[in-house]
Amino acid sequence: MGLRASEGVVVTAVLGVDQSLRGTGLALYADGETVTALVRADLGEGVVGIRQAVRYIVGRVVTFAPACDLYVLELPIQTPGKGSGLQLERAWLFGMLFDQLMPRGKVATVHPMTRAVYATGNGRAPKADVIAAMRKAHPHVDVRDDNVADALALMGMGCRWLGSPVDGEISSKQAKAMR
């Protein structure tokens, strides 16, 4: 049985995805429970290796949560001065995930700083602070690393946006992030 959203919709599944070829964090709220997973891909040589890793991760995400009320993806960050390969990987994975998830449910995107504000109240929060905040907000959930912690924050934002918060009372900073 799902939670009732403010619009009268029954929320049965929301997936938060913190995508990365080195460690994609997944947090799924489904039928009253939250489960997490971490997907790692072997990154082979060059563009072919990136393609194989992207396809592997997208396949695992779709298998983990084939149909949701809402998928929440973190937008890839633009890192000035860093290699173009890393930005290519991020954009490619984001685009493929977005493309594959859209036919399965609604897709929302969240800027990394907005996700950090929602998680901790600080848009530049260190990874350890996000992990600690998510462990506190979800004490019975396996938060094994920062990828999963980020995915939990995204999932929490999605559930709250649908009118079915799963992570406690909202702070003023979280309310600002939700706007």
Side-chain angles (χ1 to χ4, degrees):
M1 171 156 128
L3 298 173
R4 292 248 170 229
S6 58
E7 300 105 24
V9 176
V10 175
V11 176
T12 56
V14 174
L15 179 68
V17 182
D18 176 50
Q19 68 274 356
S20 165
L21 293 182
R22 286 148 189 85
T24 293
L26 303 174
L28 175 66
Y29 171 83
D31 298 322
E33 294 188 34
T34 300
V35 294
T36 63
L38 181 64
V39 179
R40 294 194 186 276
D42 291 328
L43 189 56
E45 293 290 320
V47 176
V48 172
I50 295 169
R51 177 184 178 268
Q52 290 170 334
V54 166
R55 289 172 53 100
Y56 176 81
I57 291 168
V58 170
R60 293 306 158 284
V61 171
V62 169
T63 301
F64 186 74
C68 287
D69 300 300
L70 181 64
Y71 296 94
V72 186
L73 301 177
E74 187 170 85
L75 288 167
I77 57 172
Q78 301 289 327
T79 313
K82 292 229 177 179
S84 61
L86 185 58
Q87 291 188 28
L88 170 67
E89 294 170 13
R90 289 175 176 161
W92 195 341
L93 179 55
F94 173 81
M96 288 295 294
L97 277 169
F98 194 93
D99 182 65
Q100 292 300 307
L101 295 176
M102 269 192 65
R104 293 170 167 79
K106 294 178 183 175
V107 179
T109 60
V110 175
H111 189 277
M113 288 182 74
T114 304
R115 183 256 319 134
V117 169
Y118 185 83
T120 68
N122 175 3
R124 299 190 185 278
K127 294 177 185 295
D129 290 358
V130 175
I131 293 169
M134 290 300 96
R135 285 181 176 155
K136 182 178 179 185
H138 302 276
H140 302 295
V141 175
D142 180 18
V143 185
R144 66 189 78 168
D145 72 1
D146 59 285
N147 300 297
V148 170
D150 290 349
L152 269 170
L154 295 165
M155 179 213 68
M157 291 181 83
C159 288
R160 189 171 297 281
W161 185 76
L162 290 174
S164 301
V166 296
D167 52 4
E169 294 297 316
I170 190 167
S171 72
S172 61
K173 290 184 179 181
Q174 285 176 312
K176 182 181 176 186
M178 291 302 297
R179 286 193 287 271

